[in-house]
């Protein structure tokens, strides 16, 4: 009989090794410029251009410095709370993929703190807990959030529901007991 299984925490795909550029990467330059224009505009949605830059840096160039600079600039200059939250969430994922687990953990915590209402930080809670579990810190993953608070205001289409989250927490609890 087929039975629903709790989701497993697959390894985060590692970023490519830094490449020695023999010529300027014009697409990278364009993505940096787009991120800067978006921050300068001060309109909501900046996090999407930052995500695009981070993905390109991780998957194509292997150089995280341009992404680091763009994210840090947004943290200083972006006024939209939602942009800051999602930028920190994306940056945490990017840092994990680059192998910087401490940096990723700090960004997840900053994302959680950036929300006026922590109950609206579902993505950061789940991503942070999953990262901890993926790296052998199952007990810490269980302690990350209060399921009731995190799920009370969940309103993300396609996100795992209460039953799926409860199954994952039960799986983690079995691992540590």
């Amino acid at each position: 009989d087929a039975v629903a299984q709790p989701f497993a925490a697959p390894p985060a795909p590692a970023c490519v090794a830094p490449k020695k550029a023999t010529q300027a990467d014009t697409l990278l330059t364009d993505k940096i410029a787009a991120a800067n224009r978006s921050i300068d505009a001060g309109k909501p949605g900046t996090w999407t251009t930052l995500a695009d830059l981070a993905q390109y840096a991780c998957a194509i160039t292997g150089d995280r410095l341009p992404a680091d600079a763009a994210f840090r600039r947004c943290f200083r200059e972006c006024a939209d709370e939602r942009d800051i939250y999602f930028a920190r969430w994306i940056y945490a994922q990017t840092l994990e993929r680059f192998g910087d687990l401490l940096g990723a953990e700090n960004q997840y915590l900053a994302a959680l703190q950036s929300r006026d209402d922590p109950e609206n930080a579902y993505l950061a809670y789940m991503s942070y807990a999953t990262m901890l579990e993926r790296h052998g810190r199952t007990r810490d993953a269980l302690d990350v959030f209060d399921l009731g608070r995190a799920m009370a205001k969940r309103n993300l289409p396609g996100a795992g529901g209460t039953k799926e989250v409860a199954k994952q927490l039960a799986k983690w609890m079995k691992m540590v007991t």
Side-chain angles (χ1 to χ4, degrees):
D1 290 331
V3 177
Q5 298 294 317
F7 62 89
C15 293
V16 298
K19 296 179 178 150
K20 294 185 183 203
T22 56
Q23 60 183 1
D25 184 335
T26 57
L27 192 51
L28 177 62
T29 302
D30 291 346
K31 291 182 181 300
I32 292 168
N36 285 327
R37 281 191 306 274
S38 186
I39 293 169
D40 290 341
K43 294 180 181 175
T46 296
W47 70 272
T48 60
T49 59
L50 295 172
D52 187 44
L53 171 60
Q55 178 61 27
Y56 187 81
C58 183
I60 305 300
T61 70
D63 179 8
R64 73 176 244 203
L65 294 179
D68 288 345
F71 279 103
R72 288 185 180 135
R73 181 168 178 232
C74 180
F75 301 150
R76 287 189 314 271
E77 299 178 24
C78 290
D80 185 69
E81 175 188 318
R82 183 178 165 93
D83 272 342
I84 293 170
Y85 168 74
F86 281 111
R88 289 196 181 278
W89 176 63
I90 293 291
Y91 191 39
Q93 293 174 352
T94 302
L95 292 174
E96 181 187 5
R97 290 182 67 193
F98 272 108
D100 182 356
L101 300 181
L102 180 59
E105 184 168 7
N106 288 335
Q107 288 306 314
Y108 280 127
L109 292 171
L112 296 173
Q113 292 172 353
S114 74
R115 298 297 281 194
D116 287 339
D117 184 355
E119 294 172 354
N120 287 329
Y122 175 80
L123 289 173
Y125 278 116
M126 287 305 297
S127 297
Y128 179 40
T130 300
M131 182 197 78
L132 292 172
E133 190 270 336
R134 185 171 27 242
H135 294 284
R137 294 177 55 194
T138 305
R139 171 52 62 195
D140 293 336
L142 288 168
D143 294 338
V144 166
F145 65 92
D146 172 342
L147 178 61
R149 282 186 47 199
M151 297 301 291
K153 293 188 178 179
R154 189 188 72 75
N155 59 1
L156 300 169
T162 307
K163 289 181 183 178
E164 290 82 12
V165 173
K167 286 179 187 177
Q168 182 64 37
L169 291 173
K171 175 189 166 219
W172 289 341
M173 186 59 78
K174 285 181 186 177
M175 292 172 67
V176 297
T177 56

PDB file of all heavy atoms in Angstrom, residues 117-135:
ATOM      1  N   ASP A 117       5.373  40.446  11.836  1.00  0.00           N
ATOM      2  CA  ASP A 117       4.547  39.349  12.326  1.00  0.00           C
ATOM      3  C   ASP A 117       5.256  38.042  11.989  1.00  0.00           C
ATOM      4  O   ASP A 117       5.220  37.594  10.853  1.00  0.00           O
ATOM      5  CB  ASP A 117       3.170  39.397  11.647  1.00  0.00           C
ATOM      6  CG  ASP A 117       2.223  38.338  12.170  1.00  0.00           C
ATOM      7  OD1 ASP A 117       2.653  37.499  12.997  1.00  0.00           O
ATOM      8  OD2 ASP A 117       1.062  38.341  11.746  1.00  0.00           O
ATOM      9  N   PRO A 118       5.931  37.428  12.969  1.00  0.00           N
ATOM     10  CA  PRO A 118       6.691  36.210  12.693  1.00  0.00           C
ATOM     11  C   PRO A 118       5.851  35.090  12.098  1.00  0.00           C
ATOM     12  O   PRO A 118       6.381  34.197  11.450  1.00  0.00           O
ATOM     13  CB  PRO A 118       7.243  35.792  14.054  1.00  0.00           C
ATOM     14  CG  PRO A 118       7.079  36.953  14.942  1.00  0.00           C
ATOM     15  CD  PRO A 118       6.006  37.830  14.358  1.00  0.00           C
ATOM     16  N   GLU A 119       4.547  35.121  12.302  1.00  0.00           N
ATOM     17  CA  GLU A 119       3.692  34.078  11.748  1.00  0.00           C
ATOM     18  C   GLU A 119       3.640  34.142  10.226  1.00  0.00           C
ATOM     19  O   GLU A 119       3.222  33.195   9.576  1.00  0.00           O
ATOM     20  CB  GLU A 119       2.294  34.167  12.353  1.00  0.00           C
ATOM     21  CG  GLU A 119       2.308  33.849  13.842  1.00  0.00           C
ATOM     22  CD  GLU A 119       0.980  34.109  14.521  1.00  0.00           C
ATOM     23  OE1 GLU A 119       0.062  34.646  13.873  1.00  0.00           O
ATOM     24  OE2 GLU A 119       0.871  33.771  15.696  1.00  0.00           O
ATOM     25  N   ASN A 120       4.063  35.252   9.653  1.00  0.00           N
ATOM     26  CA  ASN A 120       4.083  35.387   8.200  1.00  0.00           C
ATOM     27  C   ASN A 120       5.451  35.049   7.615  1.00  0.00           C
ATOM     28  O   ASN A 120       5.734  35.405   6.479  1.00  0.00           O
ATOM     29  CB  ASN A 120       3.689  36.810   7.786  1.00  0.00           C
ATOM     30  CG  ASN A 120       2.210  37.044   7.980  1.00  0.00           C
ATOM     31  OD1 ASN A 120       1.405  36.129   7.861  1.00  0.00           O
ATOM     32  ND2 ASN A 120       1.843  38.263   8.311  1.00  0.00           N
ATOM     33  N   ALA A 121       6.286  34.390   8.384  1.00  0.00           N
ATOM     34  CA  ALA A 121       7.631  34.038   7.933  1.00  0.00           C
ATOM     35  C   ALA A 121       7.739  32.539   7.679  1.00  0.00           C
ATOM     36  O   ALA A 121       8.773  31.930   7.913  1.00  0.00           O
ATOM     37  CB  ALA A 121       8.647  34.498   8.969  1.00  0.00           C
ATOM     38  N   TYR A 122       6.676  31.944   7.186  1.00  0.00           N
ATOM     39  CA  TYR A 122       6.607  30.502   6.987  1.00  0.00           C
ATOM     40  C   TYR A 122       7.775  29.966   6.165  1.00  0.00           C
ATOM     41  O   TYR A 122       8.396  28.971   6.526  1.00  0.00           O
ATOM     42  CB  TYR A 122       5.267  30.158   6.323  1.00  0.00           C
ATOM     43  CG  TYR A 122       5.116  28.709   5.955  1.00  0.00           C
ATOM     44  CD1 TYR A 122       4.776  27.776   6.914  1.00  0.00           C
ATOM     45  CD2 TYR A 122       5.321  28.279   4.649  1.00  0.00           C
ATOM     46  CE1 TYR A 122       4.638  26.434   6.586  1.00  0.00           C
ATOM     47  CE2 TYR A 122       5.188  26.950   4.317  1.00  0.00           C
ATOM     48  CZ  TYR A 122       4.843  26.025   5.290  1.00  0.00           C
ATOM     49  OH  TYR A 122       4.721  24.716   4.967  1.00  0.00           O
ATOM     50  N   LEU A 123       8.085  30.598   5.034  1.00  0.00           N
ATOM     51  CA  LEU A 123       9.154  30.107   4.165  1.00  0.00           C
ATOM     52  C   LEU A 123      10.495  30.077   4.878  1.00  0.00           C
ATOM     53  O   LEU A 123      11.250  29.107   4.769  1.00  0.00           O
ATOM     54  CB  LEU A 123       9.253  30.960   2.901  1.00  0.00           C
ATOM     55  CG  LEU A 123       8.122  30.807   1.910  1.00  0.00           C
ATOM     56  CD1 LEU A 123       8.257  31.832   0.793  1.00  0.00           C
ATOM     57  CD2 LEU A 123       8.092  29.409   1.340  1.00  0.00           C
ATOM     58  N   ALA A 124      10.801  31.142   5.602  1.00  0.00           N
ATOM     59  CA  ALA A 124      12.080  31.180   6.310  1.00  0.00           C
ATOM     60  C   ALA A 124      12.124  30.139   7.420  1.00  0.00           C
ATOM     61  O   ALA A 124      13.146  29.482   7.622  1.00  0.00           O
ATOM     62  CB  ALA A 124      12.343  32.580   6.871  1.00  0.00           C
ATOM     63  N   TYR A 125      11.017  29.983   8.157  1.00  0.00           N
ATOM     64  CA  TYR A 125      10.986  28.960   9.205  1.00  0.00           C
ATOM     65  C   TYR A 125      11.259  27.579   8.623  1.00  0.00           C
ATOM     66  O   TYR A 125      12.094  26.821   9.123  1.00  0.00           O
ATOM     67  CB  TYR A 125       9.628  28.935   9.913  1.00  0.00           C
ATOM     68  CG  TYR A 125       9.461  29.975  10.989  1.00  0.00           C
ATOM     69  CD1 TYR A 125       8.509  30.973  10.876  1.00  0.00           C
ATOM     70  CD2 TYR A 125      10.238  29.946  12.141  1.00  0.00           C
ATOM     71  CE1 TYR A 125       8.333  31.922  11.862  1.00  0.00           C
ATOM     72  CE2 TYR A 125      10.074  30.896  13.142  1.00  0.00           C
ATOM     73  CZ  TYR A 125       9.119  31.875  12.994  1.00  0.00           C
ATOM     74  OH  TYR A 125       8.959  32.810  13.977  1.00  0.00           O
ATOM     75  N   MET A 126      10.528  27.212   7.584  1.00  0.00           N
ATOM     76  CA  MET A 126      10.669  25.875   7.021  1.00  0.00           C
ATOM     77  C   MET A 126      12.029  25.680   6.356  1.00  0.00           C
ATOM     78  O   MET A 126      12.657  24.625   6.509  1.00  0.00           O
ATOM     79  CB  MET A 126       9.545  25.594   6.020  1.00  0.00           C
ATOM     80  CG  MET A 126       8.202  25.363   6.675  1.00  0.00           C
ATOM     81  SD  MET A 126       8.203  24.061   7.934  1.00  0.00           S
ATOM     82  CE  MET A 126       8.626  22.623   6.958  1.00  0.00           C
ATOM     83  N   SER A 127      12.515  26.680   5.642  1.00  0.00           N
ATOM     84  CA  SER A 127      13.814  26.562   4.984  1.00  0.00           C
ATOM     85  C   SER A 127      14.936  26.456   6.010  1.00  0.00           C
ATOM     86  O   SER A 127      15.871  25.664   5.838  1.00  0.00           O
ATOM     87  CB  SER A 127      14.060  27.769   4.069  1.00  0.00           C
ATOM     88  OG  SER A 127      13.105  27.818   3.045  1.00  0.00           O
ATOM     89  N   TYR A 128      14.837  27.248   7.062  1.00  0.00           N
ATOM     90  CA  TYR A 128      15.850  27.219   8.115  1.00  0.00           C
ATOM     91  C   TYR A 128      15.855  25.856   8.806  1.00  0.00           C
ATOM     92  O   TYR A 128      16.911  25.226   8.970  1.00  0.00           O
ATOM     93  CB  TYR A 128      15.586  28.355   9.099  1.00  0.00           C
ATOM     94  CG  TYR A 128      16.540  28.443  10.266  1.00  0.00           C
ATOM     95  CD1 TYR A 128      17.905  28.217  10.110  1.00  0.00           C
ATOM     96  CD2 TYR A 128      16.087  28.776  11.527  1.00  0.00           C
ATOM     97  CE1 TYR A 128      18.781  28.312  11.177  1.00  0.00           C
ATOM     98  CE2 TYR A 128      16.947  28.883  12.603  1.00  0.00           C
ATOM     99  CZ  TYR A 128      18.298  28.642  12.422  1.00  0.00           C
ATOM    100  OH  TYR A 128      19.154  28.748  13.493  1.00  0.00           O
ATOM    101  N   ALA A 129      14.690  25.376   9.195  1.00  0.00           N
ATOM    102  CA  ALA A 129      14.606  24.077   9.859  1.00  0.00           C
ATOM    103  C   ALA A 129      15.116  22.970   8.937  1.00  0.00           C
ATOM    104  O   ALA A 129      15.839  22.071   9.377  1.00  0.00           O
ATOM    105  CB  ALA A 129      13.170  23.802  10.293  1.00  0.00           C
ATOM    106  N   THR A 130      14.775  23.046   7.661  1.00  0.00           N
ATOM    107  CA  THR A 130      15.222  22.033   6.708  1.00  0.00           C
ATOM    108  C   THR A 130      16.738  22.073   6.545  1.00  0.00           C
ATOM    109  O   THR A 130      17.396  21.032   6.479  1.00  0.00           O
ATOM    110  CB  THR A 130      14.520  22.220   5.348  1.00  0.00           C
ATOM    111  OG1 THR A 130      13.108  22.104   5.555  1.00  0.00           O
ATOM    112  CG2 THR A 130      14.966  21.191   4.330  1.00  0.00           C
ATOM    113  N   MET A 131      17.317  23.270   6.492  1.00  0.00           N
ATOM    114  CA  MET A 131      18.768  23.383   6.390  1.00  0.00           C
ATOM    115  C   MET A 131      19.436  22.746   7.609  1.00  0.00           C
ATOM    116  O   MET A 131      20.412  21.997   7.485  1.00  0.00           O
ATOM    117  CB  MET A 131      19.212  24.843   6.265  1.00  0.00           C
ATOM    118  CG  MET A 131      20.733  24.969   6.108  1.00  0.00           C
ATOM    119  SD  MET A 131      21.398  26.622   6.419  1.00  0.00           S
ATOM    120  CE  MET A 131      21.387  26.666   8.206  1.00  0.00           C
ATOM    121  N   LEU A 132      18.905  23.045   8.789  1.00  0.00           N
ATOM    122  CA  LEU A 132      19.491  22.478  10.008  1.00  0.00           C
ATOM    123  C   LEU A 132      19.418  20.954   9.970  1.00  0.00           C
ATOM    124  O   LEU A 132      20.395  20.264  10.276  1.00  0.00           O
ATOM    125  CB  LEU A 132      18.767  23.021  11.242  1.00  0.00           C
ATOM    126  CG  LEU A 132      18.972  24.506  11.532  1.00  0.00           C
ATOM    127  CD1 LEU A 132      18.045  24.950  12.655  1.00  0.00           C
ATOM    128  CD2 LEU A 132      20.422  24.809  11.863  1.00  0.00           C
ATOM    129  N   GLU A 133      18.272  20.420   9.587  1.00  0.00           N
ATOM    130  CA  GLU A 133      18.103  18.972   9.529  1.00  0.00           C
ATOM    131  C   GLU A 133      19.037  18.362   8.487  1.00  0.00           C
ATOM    132  O   GLU A 133      19.660  17.330   8.717  1.00  0.00           O
ATOM    133  CB  GLU A 133      16.638  18.643   9.202  1.00  0.00           C
ATOM    134  CG  GLU A 133      16.297  17.174   9.353  1.00  0.00           C
ATOM    135  CD  GLU A 133      16.489  16.366   8.103  1.00  0.00           C
ATOM    136  OE1 GLU A 133      16.457  16.935   7.007  1.00  0.00           O
ATOM    137  OE2 GLU A 133      16.673  15.148   8.222  1.00  0.00           O
ATOM    138  N   ARG A 134      19.164  19.038   7.369  1.00  0.00           N
ATOM    139  CA  ARG A 134      20.019  18.545   6.284  1.00  0.00           C
ATOM    140  C   ARG A 134      21.482  18.438   6.729  1.00  0.00           C
ATOM    141  O   ARG A 134      22.231  17.626   6.226  1.00  0.00           O
ATOM    142  CB  ARG A 134      19.886  19.507   5.096  1.00  0.00           C
ATOM    143  CG  ARG A 134      20.605  19.096   3.874  1.00  0.00           C
ATOM    144  CD  ARG A 134      20.311  19.923   2.629  1.00  0.00           C
ATOM    145  NE  ARG A 134      19.906  21.284   2.781  1.00  0.00           N
ATOM    146  CZ  ARG A 134      18.709  21.764   2.369  1.00  0.00           C
ATOM    147  NH1 ARG A 134      17.817  20.977   1.818  1.00  0.00           N
ATOM    148  NH2 ARG A 134      18.414  23.036   2.509  1.00  0.00           N
ATOM    149  N   HIS A 135      21.873  19.246   7.692  1.00  0.00           N
ATOM    150  CA  HIS A 135      23.264  19.261   8.152  1.00  0.00           C
ATOM    151  C   HIS A 135      23.427  18.636   9.537  1.00  0.00           C
ATOM    152  O   HIS A 135      24.345  18.974  10.276  1.00  0.00           O
ATOM    153  CB  HIS A 135      23.808  20.691   8.109  1.00  0.00           C
ATOM    154  CG  HIS A 135      23.893  21.209   6.705  1.00  0.00           C
ATOM    155  ND1 HIS A 135      24.887  20.831   5.820  1.00  0.00           N
ATOM    156  CD2 HIS A 135      23.073  22.018   6.003  1.00  0.00           C
ATOM    157  CE1 HIS A 135      24.681  21.405   4.656  1.00  0.00           C
ATOM    158  NE2 HIS A 135      23.588  22.132   4.730  1.00  0.00           N
TER     159      HIS A 135
END
